[in-house]
């Protein structure tokens, strides 16, 4: 089967979140299953630096200006790169400038992603020919199914995956003309969403099948509270049998404690005692009290209310004075107010709290490999990957019961789960972890249970293949 993925991120070429990790692993797992898989990605500045040598496939004069489609092999996967320097050759984040302001031309930049994906899927590359399935990811690629529909290309089937329904790609309605789409696209039964043009709704409406990244999230987004206004459409697609939830996986080539080059001490379940060396190194890195008897909780996350960062700060503020053996180390960035709050907490409790504002992939591995607990207290979480990394490394997840977190962490077996998004419930869950920490035999049992879970990408690849078929 010939599969084309359309995405705005792909690890390790360009990453802002979990979408990049998914696209860095799923295509390879599918290829190992015998499928012919390729990916289309904008040729951003950072990607251009890492992949300077490419072959030209096609060039077109488009609504976004002159565009060249290039091709390169990367880690065994064929990549189509959309070369349009006036759209993509910008330093830093692919979506916004240094002031966190969305680029004014994002409607064109990601409209071209959808257009190019549809063009490649329908045979713009004569050497590859036509794809069987075009798999578009998140709002940035949401127009791809609309172009297939507008071009009457029913011979190419489309799947659209929601990685986070809160981000919907909404733009002024007049842009349908700029995007070379027919007027009927901008209708309630189409991509129109409360008077705007929504790239996300385009994917939801025009794709042959919709997936999201966990079974629980697939259920949550059909309700009024979790759907961000898309509940009616999603309930209709669900009744058609066109909505599925498939859990993400973990790339064992990148996240594996026995072979991870980013952690000071490799280990596995049989040598789990060696993990404490990573913890001591992490405590030293953050200037914390170096004591293996302390319970070290880590967090690798965007600092936003969605991720529950405000709840975590308030809970730590309550618990740290009463629990001198509780420590916390953070890697993340986001809300300036939350960044300041966590920095202030580190100054107030320098032996217990360490903070690194920003992102560092190697440090992320060290946190997962050295922590005892990994906190993911999200208000909502489509799937979550950090809790899966925690399970793999025997770093017990402390999570809220939502989305993929509810599907992957069992309270009292592989981690700690709290019900409601409030400080009292989170603090009680922290206390349960502290109490369990005192029982070393029980803690070891939880860690063994966690490390024996199977969340490999082969399972997900098989599930997607069944949907494609």
């Amino acid at each position: 089967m010939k599969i084309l993925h359309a995405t705005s991120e792909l690890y390790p070429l360009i990453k802002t979140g979990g979408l990049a990790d998914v696209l860095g692993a799923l295509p390879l797992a599918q290829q190992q299953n015998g499928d012919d898989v390729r990916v289309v990605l904008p040729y951003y500045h950072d990607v251009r630096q890492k992949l300077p040598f490419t072959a030209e496939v096609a060039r077109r004069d488009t609504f976004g200006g002159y565009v060249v489609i290039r091709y390169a092999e990367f880690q065994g996967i064929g990549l189509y790169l959309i070369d349009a320097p006036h759209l993509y050759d910008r330093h830093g984040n692919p979506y916004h400038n240094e002031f966190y302001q969305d680029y004014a031309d994002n409607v064109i930049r990601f409209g071209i992603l959808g257009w190019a994906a549809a063009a490649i899927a329908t045979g713009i590359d004569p050497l590859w020919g036509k794809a069987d399935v075009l798999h578009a990811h998140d709002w940035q690629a949401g127009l791809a199914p609309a172009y297939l529909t507008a071009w009457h290309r029913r011979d190419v089937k489309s799947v659209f995956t929601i990685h986070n329904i809160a981000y919907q790609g909404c733009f002024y309605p007049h842009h349908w003309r700029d995007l070379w789409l027919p007027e009927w696209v901008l209708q309630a039964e189409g991509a129109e969403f409360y008077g705007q043009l929504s790239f996300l709704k385009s994917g939801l409406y025009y794709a042959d099948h919709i997936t999201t990244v966990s079974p629980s999230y697939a259920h949550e987004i059909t309700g009024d509270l979790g759907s961000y206004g898309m509940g009616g459409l999603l309930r209709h697609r669900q009744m058609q049998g066109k909505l599925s939830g498939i859990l993400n996986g973990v790339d064992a080539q990148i996240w594996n404690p026995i072979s991870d080059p980013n952690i000071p001490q490799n280990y596995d379940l049989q040598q789990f005692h060696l993990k404490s060396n990573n913890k001591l190194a992490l405590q030293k890195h953050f200037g914390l009290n170096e004591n293996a008897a302390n319970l070290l909780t880590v967090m690798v996350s965007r600092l936003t209310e969605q991720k529950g960062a405000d709840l975590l700060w308030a809970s730590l503020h309550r618990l740290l004075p009463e629990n001198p053996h509780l420590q916390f180390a953070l890697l993340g960035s986001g809300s300036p107010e939350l960044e300041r709050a966590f920095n202030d907490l580190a100054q107030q409790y320098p032996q217990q709290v360490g903070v690194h504002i920003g992102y560092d992939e190697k440090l992320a591995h060290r946190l997962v490999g050295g922590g005892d607990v990994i906190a993911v207290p999200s208000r909502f979480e489509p799937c979550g990957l950090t809790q899966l990394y925690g399970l793999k490394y025997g770093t017990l997840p402390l999570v809220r019961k939502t989305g993929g977190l509810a599907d992957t962490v069992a309270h009292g077996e592989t981690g700690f789960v709290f019900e409601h998004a409030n400080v009292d419930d989170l603090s009680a869950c922290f206390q349960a972890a502290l109490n369990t920490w005192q029982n070393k035999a029980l803690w070891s049992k939880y860690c063994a249970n966690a490390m024996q879970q199977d969340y490999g990408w082969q399972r997900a690849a098989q599930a997607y293949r069944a949907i494609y078929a």
Side-chain angles (χ1 to χ4, degrees):
M1 192 177 297
K2 292 169 70 173
I3 303 160
L4 177 69
H5 289 278
T7 180
S8 60
E9 300 183 29
L10 188 153
Y11 177 82
L13 294 175
I14 187 79
K15 174 178 175 175
T16 70
L19 172 65
D21 291 326
V22 172
L23 271 298
L26 175 59
L28 185 60
Q30 292 175 319
Q31 190 157 283
Q32 290 169 347
N33 282 346
D35 292 316
D36 184 353
V37 188
R38 298 192 179 186
V39 180
V40 55
L41 178 76
Y43 204 18
Y44 302 112
H45 175 84
D46 289 356
V47 178
R48 190 180 296 270
Q49 300 305 304
K50 295 170 184 174
L51 286 177
F53 304 110
T54 62
E56 182 177 316
V57 170
R59 52 179 61 208
R60 295 288 188 275
D61 191 8
T62 74
F63 59 82
Y66 206 64
V67 169
V68 178
I69 306 297
R70 299 188 176 278
Y71 181 80
E73 293 278 342
F74 179 71
Q75 296 183 347
I77 296 293
L79 289 187
Y80 290 106
L81 301 163
I82 310 169
D83 187 3
H86 58 290
L87 297 177
Y88 304 121
D89 195 6
R90 303 171 189 181
H91 293 270
N93 192 283
Y95 312 120
H96 58 70
N97 62 22
E98 66 271 26
F99 304 109
Y100 289 91
Q101 296 171 327
D102 289 348
Y103 291 122
D105 60 347
N106 273 353
V107 63
I108 301 298
R109 298 173 73 237
F110 296 109
I112 286 292
L113 173 58
W115 175 89
I120 296 164
T122 53
I124 200 173
D125 178 4
L127 294 179
W128 195 52
K130 180 181 70 69
D132 296 306
V133 175
L134 170 55
H135 190 156
H137 295 265
D138 258 354
W139 74 262
Q140 295 90 345
L143 288 190
Y147 284 111
L148 291 179
T149 303
W151 300 344
H152 307 289
R153 293 302 300 263
R154 297 300 302 163
D155 53 330
V156 178
K157 298 302 180 183
S158 59
V159 172
F160 180 72
T161 294
I162 310 163
H163 294 262
N164 191 332
I165 202 169
Y167 300 99
Q168 302 186 335
C170 291
F171 301 97
Y172 290 119
H174 63 78
H175 283 299
W176 68 267
R177 297 184 186 89
D178 304 328
L179 297 165
W180 291 357
L181 286 166
E183 187 174 3
W184 49 256
V185 168
L186 195 70
Q187 296 179 355
E189 293 187 357
E192 186 272 337
F193 185 63
Y194 292 99
Q196 294 182 296
L197 170 65
S198 168
F199 281 35
L200 180 86
K201 191 183 175 196
S202 167
L204 299 181
Y205 188 84
Y206 291 110
D208 293 301
H209 199 99
I210 301 165
T211 72
T212 191
V213 289
S214 71
S216 287
Y217 195 58
H219 173 72
E220 290 171 7
I221 60 176
T222 60
D224 291 332
L225 290 178
S227 70
Y228 284 78
M230 302 288 182
L233 173 57
L234 286 166
R235 285 191 291 273
H236 177 67
R237 300 305 310 265
Q238 184 183 50
M239 289 190 327
Q240 294 177 318
K242 301 297 185 181
L243 172 62
S244 305
I246 299 174
L247 272 169
N248 285 336
V250 175
D251 188 342
Q253 299 298 313
I254 298 172
W255 293 94
N256 193 334
I258 195 64
S259 58
D260 191 337
N262 297 302
I263 59 177
Q265 175 69 67
N266 293 117
Y267 62 95
D268 59 12
L269 185 54
Q270 283 67 46
Q271 299 174 306
F272 191 71
H273 63 282
L274 297 176
K275 187 178 194 292
S276 62
N277 295 330
N278 294 324
K279 178 177 177 176
L280 292 170
L282 201 57
Q283 289 169 328
K284 183 176 183 179
H285 175 86
F286 280 98
L288 308 179
N289 180 28
E290 296 176 38
N291 186 342
N294 293 335
L295 178 68
L296 177 58
T297 297
V298 300
M299 185 179 191
V300 181
S301 175
R302 296 194 310 275
L303 300 182
T304 64
E305 289 191 357
Q306 182 228 314
K307 295 295 185 179
D310 56 321
L311 301 177
L312 184 63
W313 176 87
S315 181
L316 288 168
H317 203 273
R318 176 186 295 184
L319 292 170
L320 286 168
E322 304 168 358
N323 297 278
H325 294 294
L326 174 62
Q327 293 180 322
F328 176 70
L330 168 71
L331 171 63
S333 63
S335 160
E337 293 80 8
L338 286 168
E339 289 180 2
R340 284 194 296 271
F342 279 105
N343 276 325
D344 289 346
L345 198 67
Q347 291 181 1
Q348 187 175 357
Y349 300 98
Q351 294 292 301
Q352 291 177 268
V353 178
V355 172
H356 181 109
I357 299 299
Y359 188 74
D360 181 316
E361 185 73 16
K362 182 175 181 179
L363 182 56
H365 283 249
R366 293 184 64 188
L367 283 160
V368 175
D372 299 305
V373 170
I374 186 162
V376 195
S378 305
R379 284 180 167 83
F380 70 93
E381 192 63 64
C383 178
L385 289 172
T386 53
Q387 89 280 7
L388 298 181
Y389 303 151
L391 291 169
K392 186 98 176 159
Y393 284 64
T395 304
L396 300 182
L398 188 154
V399 305
R400 194 172 94 76
K401 189 177 180 180
T402 183
L405 304 177
D407 291 333
T408 54
V409 183
H411 184 75
E413 295 180 24
T414 60
F416 308 94
V417 183
F418 65 100
E419 184 85 21
H420 302 292
N422 60 55
V423 178
D424 288 342
D425 273 25
L426 175 53
S427 298
C429 197
F430 254 124
Q431 193 60 56
L434 283 162
N435 293 342
T436 307
W437 177 247
Q438 304 306 315
N439 185 333
K440 297 306 180 187
L442 186 58
W443 190 273
S444 296
K445 180 181 177 182
Y446 285 12
C447 292
N449 291 341
M451 295 182 75
Q452 290 169 7
Q453 301 301 302
D454 179 15
Y455 290 109
W457 271 110
Q458 285 299 326
R459 169 195 47 79
Q462 293 286 0
Y464 279 116
R465 200 175 204 284
I467 286 171
Y468 298 161

